[in-house]
Amino acid sequence: MTMPRDDLAILSDEALLVLYANGDPVAARLLTQRLAPRVFAYAMRVLGDRAEAEDITQEALLRLWRIAPDWRQGEAQVTTWLYRVATNLATDRLRARKRRQADTLDDVPEPGDDRPDVVTGLIEADRMAALQTALACLPDRQRQAVVLRHIEGMTNPEIAQILEIGVEAVESLTARGKRALSALLAGKKEELGYDDVI
């Protein structure tokens, strides 16, 4: 049975996944529209490569669709499970990169930019490039923890579940990551247009 789209939009991720498993294609579309941008943004921050982030997003969602019929509500949130899969896929890609020889920071593409005007767009592009470059300098686990906490807005317990570590380890990783980012970005405040910010 297919529900009207407006009714489906208010449902939780778990409810939409169950509806998809029962054959509702509208539920799948809504869940994809809801989750794909978040997974892509996370993968993009962790990997710094648009094509790899797209691949990870697609693979993570395919895995979600495969397990949908066996989904057990109440054991985990769909987003937590999906971020865990994306984290594992990203970790595999990062390890493969290191085996092939690490990319230089100059090879990392700048993130895309929807510019309202040229000057604002250039400033924002410089800020995002500086952040991406700084993130790329962090150890993998610190980068994952920082992105999940401060960019994706997840809680420490959610991150602990995704990274399969304790909450204290998450706190340590994010604190060390923030300190490292501050050190890496120190002295660039004026260059990035923050000179008049208190």
Side-chain angles (χ1 to χ4, degrees), residues 5-176:
R5 183 181 173 103
D6 290 342
D7 292 341
L8 290 177
I10 62 172
L11 294 178
S12 69
D13 297 340
E14 289 77 14
L16 287 173
L17 187 61
V18 170
L19 286 171
Y20 163 75
N22 291 323
D24 189 334
V26 176
R29 244 187 328 276
L30 284 171
L31 196 55
T32 300
Q33 290 170 349
R34 188 183 290 176
L35 299 177
R38 293 175 65 191
V39 173
F40 172 78
Y42 169 66
M44 183 67 189
R45 291 276 180 224
V46 170
L47 296 170
D49 183 281
R50 183 174 193 82
E52 285 187 330
E54 288 171 353
D55 289 346
I56 283 176
T57 302
Q58 182 177 4
E59 179 61 26
L61 287 170
L62 284 172
R63 290 184 185 189
L64 180 64
W65 303 141
R66 279 189 215 121
I67 63 100
D70 300 321
W71 185 262
R72 294 185 298 232
Q73 285 185 300
E75 287 190 17
Q77 292 182 346
V78 171
T79 51
T80 303
W81 184 91
L82 198 58
Y83 274 106
R84 175 76 226 137
V85 170
T87 297
N88 288 341
L89 292 169
T91 299
D92 291 346
R93 298 272 177 139
L94 291 168
R95 287 179 183 150
R97 275 186 196 171
K98 288 177 183 173
R99 284 192 298 269
R100 288 189 312 260
Q101 180 177 5
D103 293 333
T104 66
L105 292 179
D106 294 333
D107 294 335
V108 176
E110 292 187 29
D113 186 18
D114 294 330
R115 298 183 264 219
D117 64 46
V118 174
V119 173
T120 302
L122 290 172
I123 291 171
E124 187 61 27
D126 285 346
R127 289 174 179 172
M128 295 308 293
L131 176 61
Q132 189 62 44
T133 300
L135 282 169
C137 293
L138 296 179
D140 297 343
R141 299 296 269 181
Q142 281 183 22
R143 179 171 53 249
Q144 291 167 345
V146 167
V147 169
L148 287 169
R149 181 72 182 109
H150 296 289
I151 296 175
E152 296 300 316
M154 300 187 100
T155 66
N156 287 345
E158 289 172 326
I159 298 167
Q161 191 174 10
I162 290 167
L163 298 180
E164 296 179 329
I165 58 177
V167 173
E168 296 81 15
V170 170
E171 292 168 355
S172 176
L173 284 171
T174 54
R176 285 182 292 165

